[in-house]
Short mmCIF file of all heavy atoms in Angstrom, two decimals:
data_model
loop_
_atom_site.label_atom_id
_atom_site.label_comp_id
_atom_site.label_asym_id
_atom_site.label_seq_id
_atom_site.Cartn_x
_atom_site.Cartn_y
_atom_site.Cartn_z
N PRO A 151 -42.91 126.58 -28.70
CA PRO A 151 -42.75 127.87 -29.35
C PRO A 151 -43.56 128.96 -28.67
O PRO A 151 -44.45 128.62 -27.90
CB PRO A 151 -43.27 127.62 -30.76
CG PRO A 151 -44.31 126.55 -30.60
CD PRO A 151 -43.86 125.73 -29.41
N PRO A 152 -43.37 130.20 -28.96
CA PRO A 152 -42.28 130.68 -29.81
C PRO A 152 -40.97 130.75 -29.05
O PRO A 152 -40.95 130.64 -27.82
CB PRO A 152 -42.76 132.09 -30.20
CG PRO A 152 -43.56 132.55 -29.03
CD PRO A 152 -44.23 131.29 -28.49
N ARG A 153 -39.93 130.96 -29.78
CA ARG A 153 -38.62 131.26 -29.21
C ARG A 153 -38.44 132.76 -29.31
O ARG A 153 -39.16 133.43 -30.04
CB ARG A 153 -37.52 130.53 -29.97
CG ARG A 153 -37.64 129.01 -29.86
CD ARG A 153 -36.57 128.30 -30.67
NE ARG A 153 -36.76 126.86 -30.63
CZ ARG A 153 -36.30 126.07 -29.66
NH1 ARG A 153 -35.62 126.59 -28.67
NH2 ARG A 153 -36.50 124.78 -29.71
N VAL A 154 -37.45 133.30 -28.59
CA VAL A 154 -37.23 134.75 -28.58
C VAL A 154 -35.75 135.05 -28.75
O VAL A 154 -34.90 134.41 -28.11
CB VAL A 154 -37.75 135.39 -27.27
CG1 VAL A 154 -37.40 136.87 -27.20
CG2 VAL A 154 -39.25 135.19 -27.13
N ILE A 155 -35.47 136.02 -29.60
CA ILE A 155 -34.13 136.62 -29.72
C ILE A 155 -34.30 138.05 -29.25
O ILE A 155 -35.09 138.80 -29.82
CB ILE A 155 -33.61 136.59 -31.16
CG1 ILE A 155 -33.45 135.16 -31.64
CG2 ILE A 155 -32.29 137.38 -31.27
CD1 ILE A 155 -33.17 135.02 -33.14
N ARG A 156 -33.58 138.42 -28.20
CA ARG A 156 -33.69 139.77 -27.66
C ARG A 156 -32.37 140.52 -27.79
O ARG A 156 -31.35 140.10 -27.27
CB ARG A 156 -34.12 139.75 -26.20
CG ARG A 156 -34.26 141.15 -25.64
CD ARG A 156 -34.80 141.17 -24.26
NE ARG A 156 -34.73 142.53 -23.74
CZ ARG A 156 -34.61 142.82 -22.47
NH1 ARG A 156 -34.58 141.85 -21.56
NH2 ARG A 156 -34.54 144.07 -22.08
N PHE A 157 -32.44 141.64 -28.47
CA PHE A 157 -31.28 142.52 -28.59
C PHE A 157 -31.23 143.43 -27.38
O PHE A 157 -32.18 144.14 -27.09
CB PHE A 157 -31.36 143.36 -29.88
CG PHE A 157 -31.03 142.56 -31.10
CD1 PHE A 157 -32.04 141.94 -31.82
CD2 PHE A 157 -29.73 142.40 -31.52
CE1 PHE A 157 -31.75 141.18 -32.94
CE2 PHE A 157 -29.42 141.64 -32.63
CZ PHE A 157 -30.43 141.03 -33.34
N MET A 158 -30.11 143.36 -26.67
CA MET A 158 -29.89 144.19 -25.48
C MET A 158 -28.64 145.03 -25.73
O MET A 158 -27.64 144.91 -25.02
CB MET A 158 -29.76 143.30 -24.25
CG MET A 158 -31.03 142.50 -24.01
SD MET A 158 -30.98 141.46 -22.55
CE MET A 158 -30.73 142.65 -21.26
N THR A 159 -28.71 145.85 -26.73
CA THR A 159 -27.54 146.58 -27.19
C THR A 159 -27.54 148.05 -26.78
O THR A 159 -26.64 148.78 -27.17
CB THR A 159 -27.47 146.49 -28.73
OG1 THR A 159 -28.69 146.96 -29.28
CG2 THR A 159 -27.22 145.06 -29.18
N GLY A 160 -28.53 148.46 -26.04
CA GLY A 160 -28.59 149.87 -25.67
C GLY A 160 -28.88 150.74 -26.89
O GLY A 160 -29.48 150.29 -27.87
N ASN A 161 -28.44 151.95 -26.84
CA ASN A 161 -28.69 152.91 -27.91
C ASN A 161 -27.52 152.97 -28.90
O ASN A 161 -26.81 153.96 -28.98
CB ASN A 161 -28.96 154.30 -27.34
CG ASN A 161 -30.27 154.34 -26.61
OD1 ASN A 161 -31.21 153.67 -27.00
ND2 ASN A 161 -30.35 155.13 -25.57
N LEU A 162 -27.34 151.90 -29.64
CA LEU A 162 -26.33 151.89 -30.68
C LEU A 162 -26.80 152.73 -31.85
O LEU A 162 -28.00 152.77 -32.16
CB LEU A 162 -26.10 150.47 -31.21
CG LEU A 162 -25.31 149.50 -30.36
CD1 LEU A 162 -25.22 148.16 -31.08
CD2 LEU A 162 -23.93 150.02 -30.06
N ARG A 163 -25.90 153.36 -32.53
CA ARG A 163 -26.26 154.05 -33.78
C ARG A 163 -26.67 153.00 -34.79
O ARG A 163 -26.23 151.86 -34.73
CB ARG A 163 -25.08 154.87 -34.29
CG ARG A 163 -24.77 156.02 -33.38
CD ARG A 163 -23.65 156.85 -33.94
NE ARG A 163 -23.38 157.90 -33.00
CZ ARG A 163 -23.41 159.18 -33.29
NH1 ARG A 163 -23.66 159.58 -34.51
NH2 ARG A 163 -23.15 160.08 -32.36
N MET A 164 -27.51 153.39 -35.71
CA MET A 164 -28.07 152.44 -36.68
C MET A 164 -26.97 151.71 -37.45
O MET A 164 -27.05 150.50 -37.67
CB MET A 164 -29.00 153.17 -37.65
CG MET A 164 -29.78 152.23 -38.52
SD MET A 164 -30.80 151.03 -37.63
CE MET A 164 -31.96 152.10 -36.82
N ARG A 165 -25.94 152.41 -37.84
CA ARG A 165 -24.84 151.77 -38.60
C ARG A 165 -24.17 150.68 -37.76
O ARG A 165 -23.88 149.59 -38.24
CB ARG A 165 -23.82 152.82 -39.03
CG ARG A 165 -22.71 152.23 -39.89
CD ARG A 165 -21.82 153.30 -40.42
NE ARG A 165 -22.58 154.05 -41.42
CZ ARG A 165 -22.30 155.28 -41.82
NH1 ARG A 165 -21.27 155.92 -41.32
NH2 ARG A 165 -23.02 155.88 -42.72
N ALA A 166 -23.93 150.96 -36.47
CA ALA A 166 -23.29 149.99 -35.58
C ALA A 166 -24.23 148.80 -35.33
O ALA A 166 -23.79 147.65 -35.30
CB ALA A 166 -22.89 150.64 -34.27
N PHE A 167 -25.52 149.08 -35.15
CA PHE A 167 -26.49 148.01 -34.95
C PHE A 167 -26.55 147.11 -36.19
O PHE A 167 -26.55 145.89 -36.08
CB PHE A 167 -27.87 148.61 -34.62
CG PHE A 167 -28.89 147.55 -34.30
CD1 PHE A 167 -28.89 146.91 -33.07
CD2 PHE A 167 -29.84 147.18 -35.24
CE1 PHE A 167 -29.83 145.93 -32.78
CE2 PHE A 167 -30.78 146.22 -34.97
CZ PHE A 167 -30.77 145.58 -33.73
N HIS A 168 -26.61 147.73 -37.35
CA HIS A 168 -26.66 146.97 -38.60
C HIS A 168 -25.41 146.08 -38.73
O HIS A 168 -25.52 144.91 -39.12
CB HIS A 168 -26.78 147.92 -39.79
CG HIS A 168 -26.96 147.21 -41.09
ND1 HIS A 168 -25.89 146.86 -41.89
CD2 HIS A 168 -28.07 146.76 -41.72
CE1 HIS A 168 -26.33 146.23 -42.95
NE2 HIS A 168 -27.66 146.16 -42.87
N ALA A 169 -24.25 146.63 -38.43
CA ALA A 169 -23.00 145.85 -38.51
C ALA A 169 -23.04 144.67 -37.54
O ALA A 169 -22.64 143.56 -37.90
CB ALA A 169 -21.80 146.75 -38.25
N LEU A 170 -23.51 144.91 -36.33
CA LEU A 170 -23.61 143.85 -35.33
C LEU A 170 -24.53 142.73 -35.80
O LEU A 170 -24.18 141.56 -35.73
CB LEU A 170 -24.13 144.44 -34.00
CG LEU A 170 -24.42 143.44 -32.90
CD1 LEU A 170 -23.12 142.94 -32.28
CD2 LEU A 170 -25.32 144.05 -31.84
N VAL A 171 -25.69 143.10 -36.31
CA VAL A 171 -26.65 142.11 -36.77
C VAL A 171 -26.10 141.34 -37.97
O VAL A 171 -26.13 140.11 -38.01
CB VAL A 171 -28.00 142.75 -37.12
CG1 VAL A 171 -28.94 141.74 -37.76
CG2 VAL A 171 -28.65 143.37 -35.88
N THR A 172 -25.58 142.06 -38.94
CA THR A 172 -25.08 141.43 -40.17
C THR A 172 -23.93 140.46 -39.86
O THR A 172 -23.92 139.33 -40.37
CB THR A 172 -24.62 142.51 -41.16
OG1 THR A 172 -25.73 143.36 -41.45
CG2 THR A 172 -24.10 141.89 -42.44
N GLU A 173 -23.03 140.88 -39.03
CA GLU A 173 -21.87 140.04 -38.70
C GLU A 173 -22.25 138.80 -37.90
O GLU A 173 -21.66 137.74 -38.06
CB GLU A 173 -20.85 140.87 -37.90
CG GLU A 173 -19.61 140.12 -37.52
CD GLU A 173 -18.64 141.00 -36.74
OE1 GLU A 173 -18.59 142.21 -36.99
OE2 GLU A 173 -17.91 140.44 -35.89
N ASN A 174 -23.24 138.93 -37.03
CA ASN A 174 -23.55 137.85 -36.10
C ASN A 174 -24.82 137.06 -36.40
O ASN A 174 -25.10 136.08 -35.71
CB ASN A 174 -23.66 138.42 -34.68
CG ASN A 174 -22.32 138.89 -34.18
OD1 ASN A 174 -21.45 138.10 -33.89
ND2 ASN A 174 -22.15 140.21 -34.11
N TRP A 175 -25.59 137.46 -37.41
CA TRP A 175 -26.88 136.80 -37.63
C TRP A 175 -26.78 135.29 -37.83
O TRP A 175 -27.59 134.55 -37.25
CB TRP A 175 -27.67 137.45 -38.76
CG TRP A 175 -29.02 136.84 -38.82
CD1 TRP A 175 -29.49 135.92 -39.73
CD2 TRP A 175 -30.08 137.01 -37.87
NE1 TRP A 175 -30.77 135.54 -39.41
CE2 TRP A 175 -31.15 136.20 -38.27
CE3 TRP A 175 -30.21 137.79 -36.71
CZ2 TRP A 175 -32.35 136.13 -37.56
CZ3 TRP A 175 -31.39 137.73 -36.01
CH2 TRP A 175 -32.45 136.90 -36.43
N PRO A 176 -25.85 134.76 -38.60
CA PRO A 176 -25.80 133.30 -38.75
C PRO A 176 -25.67 132.58 -37.41
O PRO A 176 -26.35 131.58 -37.15
CB PRO A 176 -24.58 133.06 -39.65
CG PRO A 176 -24.46 134.33 -40.44
CD PRO A 176 -24.87 135.42 -39.47
N HIS A 177 -24.83 133.10 -36.54
CA HIS A 177 -24.63 132.50 -35.21
C HIS A 177 -25.89 132.66 -34.35
O HIS A 177 -26.32 131.73 -33.65
CB HIS A 177 -23.42 133.11 -34.51
CG HIS A 177 -23.19 132.58 -33.13
ND1 HIS A 177 -22.95 131.25 -32.87
CD2 HIS A 177 -23.19 133.20 -31.92
CE1 HIS A 177 -22.80 131.08 -31.56
NE2 HIS A 177 -22.95 132.25 -30.97
N ILE A 178 -26.49 133.83 -34.39
CA ILE A 178 -27.72 134.11 -33.63
C ILE A 178 -28.83 133.16 -34.07
O ILE A 178 -29.50 132.54 -33.24
CB ILE A 178 -28.15 135.57 -33.81
CG1 ILE A 178 -27.12 136.52 -33.18
CG2 ILE A 178 -29.54 135.81 -33.22
CD1 ILE A 178 -27.28 137.98 -33.60
N ALA A 179 -29.04 133.04 -35.36
CA ALA A 179 -30.09 132.18 -35.89
C ALA A 179 -29.85 130.72 -35.54
O ALA A 179 -30.77 129.99 -35.18
CB ALA A 179 -30.20 132.34 -37.41
N GLU A 180 -28.62 130.28 -35.61
CA GLU A 180 -28.27 128.90 -35.26
C GLU A 180 -28.52 128.65 -33.78
O GLU A 180 -29.09 127.62 -33.39
CB GLU A 180 -26.80 128.63 -35.60
CG GLU A 180 -26.36 127.22 -35.33
CD GLU A 180 -24.92 126.99 -35.71
OE1 GLU A 180 -24.46 127.55 -36.72
OE2 GLU A 180 -24.24 126.26 -34.97
N LEU A 181 -28.10 129.57 -32.94
CA LEU A 181 -28.29 129.44 -31.50
C LEU A 181 -29.79 129.40 -31.14
O LEU A 181 -30.18 128.68 -30.23
CB LEU A 181 -27.58 130.60 -30.79
CG LEU A 181 -27.22 130.44 -29.32
CD1 LEU A 181 -26.34 129.22 -29.10
CD2 LEU A 181 -26.50 131.69 -28.84
N SER A 182 -30.58 130.14 -31.88
CA SER A 182 -32.02 130.18 -31.58
C SER A 182 -32.72 128.85 -31.89
O SER A 182 -33.82 128.61 -31.40
CB SER A 182 -32.71 131.33 -32.34
OG SER A 182 -32.88 131.01 -33.69
N GLN A 183 -32.08 128.00 -32.65
CA GLN A 183 -32.68 126.69 -32.94
C GLN A 183 -32.54 125.73 -31.76
O GLN A 183 -33.32 124.79 -31.63
CB GLN A 183 -32.03 126.09 -34.18
CG GLN A 183 -32.36 126.84 -35.44
CD GLN A 183 -31.65 126.27 -36.65
OE1 GLN A 183 -31.12 125.16 -36.61
NE2 GLN A 183 -31.65 127.01 -37.72
N THR A 184 -31.54 125.96 -30.92
CA THR A 184 -31.30 125.05 -29.80
C THR A 184 -31.55 125.69 -28.43
O THR A 184 -31.47 125.00 -27.42
CB THR A 184 -29.84 124.54 -29.84
OG1 THR A 184 -28.96 125.67 -29.83
CG2 THR A 184 -29.58 123.70 -31.08
N HIS A 185 -31.84 126.98 -28.40
CA HIS A 185 -32.09 127.69 -27.16
C HIS A 185 -33.42 128.44 -27.26
O HIS A 185 -33.71 129.05 -28.29
CB HIS A 185 -30.97 128.68 -26.86
CG HIS A 185 -29.68 128.01 -26.57
ND1 HIS A 185 -28.89 127.45 -27.56
CD2 HIS A 185 -29.03 127.79 -25.40
CE1 HIS A 185 -27.81 126.92 -27.00
NE2 HIS A 185 -27.87 127.10 -25.70
#
Side-chain angles (χ1 to χ4, degrees):
R153 296 178 184 275
V154 174
I155 297 170
R156 180 174 173 208
F157 285 92
M158 298 182 60
T159 55
N161 290 327
L162 285 179
R163 293 183 182 237
M164 189 58 65
R165 183 174 290 159
F167 184 77
H168 185 268
L170 174 76
V171 173
T172 301
E173 180 179 328
N174 292 289
W175 187 256
H177 178 60
I178 294 166
E180 182 179 323
L181 201 57
S182 77
Q183 292 177 14
T184 56
H185 294 75

